[in-house]
Amino acid sequence: MAWQEGRQCSIGLMRARIAWLAGAAGAGVAVYRKLRRVTAPDEDPRAGELRRKHDESRTIVGERQ
């Protein structure tokens, strides 16, 4: 072990500090990912009308050919 002048080893303290920082960073990433997750938005009421018009135009184009 590496001893300093005050007869205290700082390696253990640094490992503990690094462990705390890594844990805090991991928790921060987990919270960020949890908050970043977006639920599917509700369907736009105009979507049904657009789908109907699209299907209608497909049938008209099909009839022309």
Side-chain angles (χ1 to χ4, degrees):
M1 267 196 207
W3 293 93
Q4 293 182 347
E5 288 182 22
R7 293 228 169 252
Q8 293 180 355
C9 179
S10 65
I11 293 174
L13 294 173
M14 287 305 295
R15 284 185 180 161
R17 190 172 292 159
I18 289 172
W20 274 101
L21 287 173
V29 168
V31 169
Y32 174 77
R33 291 186 69 179
K34 178 87 170 174
L35 294 176
R36 185 88 169 128
R37 212 177 280 169
V38 179
T39 58
D42 293 334
E43 187 175 303
D44 191 347
R46 299 172 292 180
E49 179 68 21
L50 287 172
R51 281 192 196 100
R52 187 187 60 75
K53 285 183 180 180
H54 185 255
D55 291 339
E56 204 174 280
S57 67
R58 279 186 174 178
T59 57
I60 291 172
V61 169
E63 288 173 2
R64 285 187 203 168
Q65 294 175 356

